[in-house]
Amino acid sequence: MSAPATLAPESVRARDFRLLWVGSSVSQLCGMSTVVAFPLLAAHTLGATIGEVGLITAAGYLPWLIVTLPAGVYSSRLRPRTILLLADVSRAVIVTMVPILAATGHLALWHLYLSNVLVSCATVFYEIVYLSMPPRLLPKDKLVYGNVRLQMARAMSLAFGPTLAGFAVQMLGADRAPLVNTAGFVVSCSSNLLMRSRVEAATAPEHSRGVLAQLAEAARFLTRRRVILASIAGSAVGNCCFAAYEALVVIFLSSDVGVSPGTLGMLLGSVGVGGMVGAFGAGRVSRRLGTARAVWIPATVMAPAGLLLPLTRPGAGLLLFLCGALLFHAGYVVFTVGQSTLVQLLTPPDLLPRTVACVRFISRGMLFVGGLVGGGLGTLFGPRLGLAVVMLVWISAPLITASSRLRQWRDIPPLE
C-alpha cells in the first residue's frame, strides 16, 4: 500500500496545482531559448553541419531511453516536491555553464551535446513526477481540466517561447540567450517552494522490492491494457516525428526560406498558438465527442494540414507555415490531452508513476530516434523534402491509437 496522496484539503491542493502549473509554464516558456539558440550557436558559431545540429536534438532525448525506467521507480522513494526542486536547481546550473564557456572562449560542440543530455536527465525525473501530480492534487472529475492546463503550459511555450528566444538571440546573442532558460528554472523552483500539500513518497514495503520487480509489475499491467498500448504506439510515432521536425525546422526556415531570427521565432510560435487553441478547446471537445473519441478524431481530421509546412516560401508563402502549424498542432494537443487522461484513468494510483515511466520510456524514447531521423533526412534530401516526409508519417499517429477498442468507446470507462 502506498502512503496517503496528500494531507491537505482540496482548496490547498487546487492552489498547489496552480503553482505547479505556473512554475512549469514559465520554465517551458523560457526553455525555448536553448531550443532556438543551440542550433544557431552550433551552425553559425561552431560550424556544425545539418547532421551535427540534428545530433543536438537527439542528445537531449537520449536520457529518455536510459534513465526513464529506473526514474519511475526511484521517483517513488522521495517526496515529489523534493524531486521537482532538485531537478530545477540542477537544470539551472547546467544551462548556465554554456554562456560561461562561450564567454571564456572554451565552448565546443560537445558541450552543447553534454548540456542537453544532463538537462534531459533531470527533466526525466521532473516530468514523471509532474505528470503523476494531477490525480494527487485534483479530483477525478477535474482530471481533463488538469491535463488541459498541463498542455496549455506546453502550448504557451511553443507559442511565445520561440518569439522570446528569437529576440533574445538578437539582443543577447546565441551564446548568452540560454540565460533566459536559467531564469525560467529559478521561477519554477520558487513556485515549488510555495506548495503546501504534503504529497508523500512510497512506503517502506514498496522500497524493499527490487527495481526490476517493480518495473515488471507495471509492464505486466500494460500488456493487459491493449487500449493503453495502442495509445502509447500512436504517441511514440507522433513524438518521433516531432523530434525530427525540431531537428529540421530551424535550419529549414533560416536557410531554405531565409527568414531572420525574429521572424523565425514568430513562425515557430504559430505551432504553440495552434497548441493553445487545441488546449483551450480540449475540454469542450471531450464533452461533445466523449473523452475516448476526443483522443483520436480531432487529430485524424486536422493532421493533413501539416503537409503545408514544407511548402513554405518567402513573403506571402509564410502563410502556409502559419496555417499548417495552427491547424495541425491544435488537433495534436487534443490528442495529447486525451492520451494523458486515458493513462491516468485506467491506471491504479500505486502503479501510476511506474506506468508513466514506461509510457514515457517508449514514447519519449522515440524522440531520440526522431532527432537522428531528422538529421539523416536533412542530410540525404535537404531540410524541405525531409520535413515533407516527417509531416506525412505524422498523420498515422492518431490512426494507430484508434486501431484499438478505443474507437468503439464514446467515453473512457472508469477504472475497475
Side-chain angles (χ1 to χ4, degrees), residues 16 20 50 54 56-57 61 95 153 196 201-202 230 233 238 242 246 300 310 312 314 324 346 350 367 402 413:
D16 287 350
L20 179 71
I50 294 178
I56 294 177
T57 302
Y61 294 132
V95 168
R196 291 185 295 175
F242 180 76
E246 278 192 324
T300 300
T312 303
L346 296 181
D350 59 327
L367 290 169

Side-chain angles (χ1 to χ4, degrees), residues 63-402:
W64 290 99
L65 284 172
I66 301 173
V67 181
T68 303
L69 291 178
V73 175
Y74 288 113
S75 63
S76 300
R77 301 185 179 184
L78 292 174
R79 288 185 176 178
R81 193 172 70 162
T82 300
I83 295 174
L84 297 177
L85 290 171
L86 288 174
D88 281 333
V89 171
S90 300
R91 293 185 294 181
V93 172
I94 294 164
V95 168
T96 304
M97 292 305 299
V98 171
I100 292 175
L101 288 169
T104 58
H106 293 94
L107 184 66
L109 191 59
W110 70 268
H111 290 133
L112 300 183
Y113 296 149
L114 181 61
S115 177
N116 267 8
V117 168
L118 294 178
V119 167
S120 187
C121 285
T123 300
V124 168
F125 280 89
Y126 184 96
E127 287 205 9
I128 288 174
V129 173
Y130 178 67
L131 293 172
S132 301
M133 291 297 278
R136 298 180 176 190
L137 297 177
L138 298 172
K140 286 189 176 181
D141 60 348
K142 296 291 183 63
L143 270 184
V144 171
Y145 158 85
N147 287 317
V148 164
R149 292 298 182 271
L150 300 190
Q151 287 304 312
M152 281 178 58
R154 177 63 175 164
M156 288 169 62
S157 72
L158 291 174
F160 305 113
T163 302
L164 174 65
F167 286 113
V169 170
Q170 285 191 197
M171 295 177 63
L172 303 175
D175 54 339
R176 292 189 294 273
L179 291 173
V180 176
N181 196 2
T182 301
F185 291 136
V186 172
V187 172
S188 178
C189 185
S190 301
S191 296
N192 292 327
L193 284 171
L194 293 173
M195 293 174 63
R196 291 185 295 175
S197 298
R198 290 187 58 200
V199 182
E200 301 291 344
T203 56
E206 187 72 16
H207 290 184
S208 64
R209 300 170 57 198
V211 173
L212 293 179
Q214 294 183 57
L215 290 175
E217 182 183 7
R220 287 193 299 270
F221 168 77
L222 285 175
T223 58
R224 297 193 299 267
R225 298 295 187 274
R226 300 290 180 86
V227 172
I228 297 180
L229 287 178
S231 75
I232 294 172
S235 180
V237 171
N239 282 345
C240 179
C241 293
F242 180 76
Y245 158 87
E246 278 192 324
L248 292 168
V249 69
V250 173
I251 301 301
F252 167 65
L253 290 174
S254 63
S255 299
D256 282 33
V257 183
V259 301
S260 66
T263 304
L264 185 150
M266 288 187 286
L267 287 173
L268 294 181
S270 64
V271 172
V273 172
M276 289 179 64
V277 171
F280 277 116
R284 181 173 298 178
V285 169
S286 294
R287 288 192 298 271
R288 284 182 171 270
L289 295 180
T291 54
R293 292 174 181 171
V295 177
W296 64 277
I297 290 179
T300 300
V301 171
M302 302 175 78
L307 297 175
L308 295 175
L309 270 62
L311 301 178
T312 303
R313 301 288 178 183
L318 297 180
L319 292 174
L320 293 174
F321 191 97
L322 290 173
C323 293
L326 281 168
L327 293 173
F328 178 85
H329 283 273
Y332 191 70
V333 164
V334 177
F335 167 80
T336 305
V337 169
Q339 198 264 351
S340 298
T341 305
L342 178 76
V343 173
Q344 292 167 354
L345 287 177
L346 296 181
T347 304
D350 59 327
L351 274 175
L352 188 57
R354 283 171 282 162
T355 301
V356 169
C358 291
V359 171
R360 283 315 214 198
F361 171 74
I362 298 171
S363 61
R364 286 301 183 95
M366 291 301 292
L367 290 169
F368 171 71
V369 177
L372 297 178
V373 168
L377 289 173
T379 300
L380 289 175
F381 306 116
R384 186 181 297 275
L385 184 55
L387 187 60
V389 173
V390 169
M391 301 313 296
L392 185 62
V393 175
W394 211 339
I395 294 174
S396 67
L399 299 176
I400 292 172
T401 298

